[in-house]
Amino acid sequence: DLVGSNEVCEFDTLHLHASVTPKWYSHYSTKWSPGNYFLDSTEASVVFKGIDSVKVTLTVTTPAGCKGMDSALMVVYPGNFAKLDTNYHLCPHEQVQLMPTGGVSYRWHPSLYLDDSTSPSPWVSAITSQEYAVIATSQYGCMDTLSTHVIIHPAGYIFLGDSVTIFPGESYHIKPQTNCTHFAWFPPAGLDNANISDPVATPGMSTGYVVKAKTEWGCEATDSINIYYDINSIIAVPNAFSPAGSGANNKLYLLRRGEATLNYFRIFNRWGNLVFETKDINEGWDGTYKGKAQPLGVF
C-alpha cells in the first residue's frame, strides 16, 4: 500500500512510504515508476518531485520473483498561478493600486507606503521608488512569490520667467527652463508653434500665455507669462561709446524699440561742426571724421 498524501504543489516535494506485508520480512526490492519523478526510485520511502500530475506505480519483488503492486494518482497543483505587473510608473504625489490575480489571499512586503499589506489590492502612496514582493496563496494552499517595482519619476518643471514688453514690429522668443518634453500653449494666436517648448511670440496686443507641459512619463507642470504690447515706439541715443574698442559698443547707434522711419541722424562736435550724418536707422557712427579718429570729448 502507498501511505501518505497524494497532493502536492508544483516545485514542492512529497514524501511517500510503501507499507508491505508481512512486515517481519525485509528482503523485498522496490521500484517506483516513472523513475524521473523520484530522487531515488529504489527505496521504500521516497521523495516525489512535483512536476505535474501523474500516476505512479510501486512494484515490490521478493527474491523468489513474487511481486506486489499498487498505484496512486499524484495530483500536482500549479505553482506559477499568480500574475502581477512588473513596473508601475508614477509622478510625485500620485497613487496606484497593485492588482495581482490568481490567488485567494496575499501578503505584501515591505508594508512601507501601503494602506494594507494583507489586502489583495493595496493602494501605494510612495514618495520614493520602492520594490515590493507579494506571497500569493492559491485555493489549494500553494504559494507563489511575485515582485513589482513602483517607480517615482521626477516632477514636471517649467519656468517661463518674468513678463516682458514688446513694441510694434518686435517678437519675443520664449525660452523656458524645463524638464518636460510635451507642450501645449494657449492661446495659440501670435505664436509660431503652440506645441514646442520655445515658441516665438508676435502678438498684436497684450496677451497672457499659459503652457501646460508634461515629462516623458506624464508628470505635469504649468506656468504663464504676460507679453505686453506697447503701441508706441521709443527712440534714444546712448550717452557714451568706445569707438577704439572691439566690442559691441564700438559704434554709436540709435536705440530703437518699435517701428520708426529715420529722417536724419546728425552728430556735431563741440564747435558745431557736422562730423556724421545718415538717413539709415541701422547705421552707426564709428567715431571718425573724414577717416580720422576724433578726440575724446563731448559731441
Side-chain angles (χ1 to χ4, degrees), residues 84-88 98 108 130-133 146-150:
L84 177 65
D85 290 341
T86 55
N87 289 310
Y88 295 85
L98 306 180
W108 299 86
Q130 178 67 50
E131 187 170 3
Y132 293 97
L146 305 171
S147 64
T148 187
H149 197 190
V150 177

Side-chain angles (χ1 to χ4, degrees), residues 20 25 27-29 59-69:
V20 185
Y25 187 77
H27 298 291
Y28 302 107
S29 62
T59 302
V60 179
T61 307
T62 67
C66 300
K67 295 184 178 182
M69 300 178 64

Side-chain angles (χ1 to χ4, degrees), residues 12 51 112 148 159 162 165 176 182 221 224 244 280 282 287:
D12 286 348
I51 302 173
L112 185 67
T148 187
F159 176 67
D162 297 331
T165 299
H182 300 83
S224 62
D280 184 354
N282 296 311

